Amino acid sequence: MVDKNRIEKAVAEILLAIGEDPNREGLKDTPERVARMYEELTAGYHDNASEHLSRTFGESRGELVLEKDIAFSSMCEHHLMPFFGKVHVAYIPNGKVVGLSKLARVVEVYCRRLQLQERMNAEIADAIWQELSPKGVFVVVEAEHTCMTARGIKKVGSKTVTMAVRGDFSEELKNQVLALIK
Ligand code: ZN
Protein backbone atom coordinates (compact mmCIF):
# COMPACT_ATOMS: atom_id res chain seq x y z
CA MET A 1 0.00 0.00 0.00
CA VAL A 2 0.98 3.66 0.16
CA ASP A 3 4.03 4.60 2.23
CA LYS A 4 2.46 7.62 3.91
CA ASN A 5 5.51 8.38 5.99
CA ARG A 6 7.58 8.77 2.86
CA ILE A 7 5.01 11.07 1.25
CA GLU A 8 4.92 13.23 4.37
CA LYS A 9 8.70 13.68 4.28
CA ALA A 10 8.63 14.48 0.58
CA VAL A 11 5.86 17.07 0.96
CA ALA A 12 7.69 18.75 3.83
CA GLU A 13 10.72 18.85 1.52
CA ILE A 14 8.71 20.53 -1.24
CA LEU A 15 7.46 23.13 1.26
CA LEU A 16 11.05 23.89 2.26
CA ALA A 17 12.14 23.98 -1.39
CA ILE A 18 9.64 26.68 -2.28
CA GLY A 19 10.76 28.75 0.69
CA GLU A 20 7.86 27.95 3.01
CA ASP A 21 7.98 27.12 6.69
CA PRO A 22 6.52 23.61 7.14
CA ASN A 23 6.07 24.32 10.84
CA ARG A 24 3.84 27.32 10.58
CA GLU A 25 0.24 26.94 11.76
CA GLY A 26 -1.46 26.50 8.39
CA LEU A 27 1.09 24.04 7.05
CA LYS A 28 1.98 21.86 10.00
CA ASP A 29 -0.56 19.14 9.18
CA THR A 30 -0.28 19.54 5.41
CA PRO A 31 2.21 16.71 4.76
CA GLU A 32 -0.03 14.28 6.64
CA ARG A 33 -3.13 15.52 4.85
CA VAL A 34 -1.45 15.22 1.47
CA ALA A 35 -0.28 11.68 2.31
CA ARG A 36 -3.85 10.63 3.15
CA MET A 37 -5.13 12.31 0.01
CA TYR A 38 -2.59 10.47 -2.16
CA GLU A 39 -3.65 7.21 -0.61
CA GLU A 40 -7.24 7.92 -1.64
CA LEU A 41 -6.34 9.26 -5.09
CA THR A 42 -4.26 6.21 -5.93
CA ALA A 43 -6.57 3.55 -4.45
CA GLY A 44 -7.29 2.29 -7.96
CA TYR A 45 -3.93 0.48 -8.04
CA HIS A 46 -5.36 -1.90 -5.46
CA ASP A 47 -8.73 -2.38 -7.10
CA ASN A 48 -9.64 -4.66 -9.95
CA ALA A 49 -12.15 -3.94 -12.72
CA SER A 50 -12.79 -7.62 -13.42
CA GLU A 51 -14.15 -8.09 -9.89
CA HIS A 52 -16.70 -5.33 -10.45
CA LEU A 53 -17.72 -6.79 -13.80
CA SER A 54 -17.93 -10.44 -12.78
CA ARG A 55 -21.62 -10.41 -11.81
CA THR A 56 -23.67 -10.22 -14.94
CA PHE A 57 -27.30 -10.70 -15.93
CA GLY A 58 -28.64 -12.43 -19.01
CA GLU A 59 -29.99 -10.09 -21.67
CA SER A 60 -30.61 -11.40 -25.14
CA ARG A 61 -31.90 -8.33 -26.96
CA GLY A 62 -28.51 -6.77 -27.59
CA GLU A 63 -29.68 -3.19 -27.66
CA LEU A 64 -27.58 -0.20 -26.78
CA VAL A 65 -26.81 0.50 -23.12
CA LEU A 66 -25.52 3.99 -22.33
CA GLU A 67 -24.43 5.15 -18.91
CA LYS A 68 -23.62 8.80 -19.35
CA ASP A 69 -22.23 11.60 -17.22
CA ILE A 70 -20.22 9.42 -14.82
CA ALA A 71 -18.30 12.09 -12.93
CA PHE A 72 -14.64 11.37 -12.21
CA SER A 73 -11.51 13.02 -10.95
CA SER A 74 -8.03 11.73 -11.72
CA MET A 75 -4.46 12.95 -11.52
CA CYS A 76 -2.28 13.66 -14.55
CA GLU A 77 0.97 11.76 -14.40
CA HIS A 78 2.95 14.57 -16.00
CA HIS A 79 2.20 17.23 -13.40
CA LEU A 80 0.44 15.45 -10.50
CA MET A 81 -2.43 17.88 -11.04
CA PRO A 82 -6.09 16.88 -11.15
CA PHE A 83 -8.02 16.40 -14.33
CA PHE A 84 -11.73 15.84 -13.99
CA GLY A 85 -14.91 15.58 -15.97
CA LYS A 86 -17.26 12.92 -17.24
CA VAL A 87 -17.07 9.46 -18.69
CA HIS A 88 -19.79 8.10 -20.95
CA VAL A 89 -19.90 4.34 -21.41
CA ALA A 90 -21.93 2.79 -24.21
CA TYR A 91 -22.00 -0.88 -25.12
CA ILE A 92 -24.02 -3.36 -27.10
CA PRO A 93 -24.51 -6.48 -24.97
CA ASN A 94 -23.85 -9.89 -26.37
CA GLY A 95 -26.02 -11.97 -24.04
CA LYS A 96 -25.06 -10.34 -20.76
CA VAL A 97 -25.28 -6.98 -19.05
CA VAL A 98 -23.80 -5.69 -15.83
CA GLY A 99 -25.39 -3.62 -13.06
CA LEU A 100 -25.19 0.04 -14.07
CA SER A 101 -23.41 1.09 -10.88
CA LYS A 102 -20.61 -1.31 -11.81
CA LEU A 103 -19.70 0.81 -14.81
CA ALA A 104 -19.07 3.71 -12.45
CA ARG A 105 -16.96 1.37 -10.29
CA VAL A 106 -14.82 0.54 -13.31
CA VAL A 107 -14.28 4.25 -13.92
CA GLU A 108 -13.13 4.60 -10.28
CA VAL A 109 -10.65 1.74 -10.68
CA TYR A 110 -8.86 3.56 -13.50
CA CYS A 111 -9.23 7.21 -12.48
CA ARG A 112 -7.77 6.67 -9.01
CA ARG A 113 -4.24 6.36 -10.33
CA LEU A 114 -1.71 8.59 -12.01
CA GLN A 115 -3.14 8.77 -15.47
CA LEU A 116 -3.23 10.07 -18.99
CA GLN A 117 -6.74 10.71 -20.22
CA GLU A 118 -6.10 8.67 -23.37
CA ARG A 119 -4.88 5.67 -21.39
CA MET A 120 -7.68 5.85 -18.83
CA ASN A 121 -10.16 5.96 -21.71
CA ALA A 122 -8.59 2.90 -23.35
CA GLU A 123 -8.37 0.95 -20.08
CA ILE A 124 -12.07 1.47 -19.31
CA ALA A 125 -13.02 0.33 -22.82
CA ASP A 126 -10.67 -2.67 -22.65
CA ALA A 127 -12.00 -3.80 -19.26
CA ILE A 128 -15.60 -3.80 -20.50
CA TRP A 129 -14.60 -5.37 -23.79
CA GLN A 130 -12.71 -8.19 -22.09
CA GLU A 131 -15.03 -8.89 -19.18
CA LEU A 132 -18.46 -8.54 -20.81
CA SER A 133 -17.52 -9.65 -24.34
CA PRO A 134 -20.11 -7.24 -25.78
CA LYS A 135 -20.70 -6.80 -29.50
CA GLY A 136 -19.12 -3.40 -29.15
CA VAL A 137 -18.12 -0.77 -26.62
CA PHE A 138 -17.69 2.96 -27.05
CA VAL A 139 -16.28 5.09 -24.24
CA VAL A 140 -16.05 8.88 -24.36
CA VAL A 141 -14.14 10.94 -21.80
CA GLU A 142 -14.36 14.70 -21.54
CA ALA A 143 -12.14 16.41 -19.01
CA GLU A 144 -10.67 19.66 -17.86
CA HIS A 145 -6.96 19.43 -17.05
CA THR A 146 -5.89 21.76 -14.28
CA CYS A 147 -2.28 21.47 -15.47
CA MET A 148 -3.56 23.39 -18.52
CA THR A 149 -6.14 25.67 -16.95
CA ALA A 150 -4.30 26.65 -13.75
CA ARG A 151 -0.88 27.18 -15.29
CA GLY A 152 0.82 27.41 -18.66
CA ILE A 153 -1.55 28.57 -21.34
CA LYS A 154 -4.44 28.99 -18.85
CA LYS A 155 -7.34 28.10 -21.09
CA VAL A 156 -9.95 28.02 -18.35
CA GLY A 157 -12.90 25.83 -19.20
CA SER A 158 -11.23 24.16 -22.18
CA LYS A 159 -11.98 20.46 -22.40
CA THR A 160 -10.15 17.52 -23.85
CA VAL A 161 -12.34 14.86 -25.44
CA THR A 162 -11.12 11.35 -26.15
CA MET A 163 -12.91 8.28 -27.46
CA ALA A 164 -12.19 4.58 -27.56
CA VAL A 165 -14.05 1.96 -29.57
CA ARG A 166 -13.75 -1.79 -29.33
CA GLY A 167 -15.60 -4.30 -31.47
CA ASP A 168 -18.51 -3.45 -33.67
CA PHE A 169 -19.82 0.06 -33.24
CA SER A 170 -21.17 1.62 -36.44
CA GLU A 171 -20.70 5.28 -37.30
CA GLU A 172 -24.46 5.67 -37.08
CA LEU A 173 -24.60 4.27 -33.55
CA LYS A 174 -21.58 6.33 -32.50
CA ASN A 175 -23.31 9.46 -33.77
CA GLN A 176 -26.43 8.50 -31.82
CA VAL A 177 -24.38 8.15 -28.65
CA LEU A 178 -22.62 11.46 -29.27
CA ALA A 179 -26.00 13.16 -29.74
CA LEU A 180 -27.29 11.62 -26.48
CA ILE A 181 -24.33 12.82 -24.43
CA LYS A 182 -24.38 16.38 -25.76
ZN1 ZN B 1 -0.61 17.46 -16.95
Side-chain angles (χ1 to χ4, degrees):
M1 291 299 252
V2 173
D3 186 342
K4 280 193 272 191
N5 200 20
R6 204 164 173 178
I7 296 174
E8 283 178 37
K9 281 190 200 144
V11 172
E13 196 58 38
I14 290 173
L15 292 173
L16 285 169
I18 62 174
E20 266 288 1
D21 169 12
N23 295 312
R24 75 173 169 83
E25 186 63 29
L27 291 178
K28 73 177 163 40
D29 297 326
T30 296
E32 192 199 329
R33 269 193 295 264
V34 173
R36 265 188 276 123
M37 180 185 74
Y38 268 69
E39 183 175 49
E40 189 182 332
L41 295 181
T42 60
Y45 289 119
H46 313 286
D47 200 355
N48 194 333
S50 58
E51 275 169 37
H52 297 295
L53 296 173
S54 61
R55 265 198 60 200
T56 57
F57 309 95
E59 168 54 60
S60 59
R61 278 183 286 263
E63 282 163 319
L64 179 75
V65 178
L66 168 65
E67 185 69 10
K68 65 173 192 167
D69 297 330
I70 303 170
F72 80 94
S73 181
S74 187
M75 204 168 17
C76 111
E77 68 181 14
H78 292 152
H79 301 92
L80 303 184
M81 292 275 280
F83 68 95
F84 57 90
K86 290 170 181 171
V87 178
H88 314 284
V89 176
Y91 71 100
I92 306 159
N94 189 14
K96 56 187 183 179
V97 294
V98 74
L100 294 175
S101 67
K102 303 299 182 191
L103 298 173
R105 302 293 295 171
V106 171
V107 171
E108 285 292 290
V109 167
Y110 294 109
C111 76
R112 297 210 175 263
R113 304 169 181 218
L114 301 187
Q115 272 292 12
L116 293 177
Q117 179 175 334
E118 296 87 335
R119 186 173 66 222
M120 182 183 92
N121 195 152
E123 286 173 341
I124 294 167
D126 286 336
I128 294 163
W129 176 243
Q130 281 156 22
E131 299 298 325
L132 297 185
S133 308
K135 292 190 182 113
V137 58
F138 181 39
V139 179
V140 181
V141 179
E142 43 183 308
E144 181 173 332
H145 290 250
T146 59
C147 62
M148 262 184 77
T149 57
R151 57 168 284 285
I153 53 171
K154 291 199 176 66
K155 290 268 185 255
V156 176
S158 71
K159 294 225 174 96
T160 305
V161 181
T162 54
M163 300 178 200
V165 190
R166 302 290 180 268
D168 229 357
F169 222 103
S170 68
E171 287 302 312
E172 191 193 350
L173 205 49
K174 265 191 268 183
N175 287 334
Q176 272 181 31
V177 170
L178 292 173
L180 286 166
I181 64 178
K182 265 222 181 97

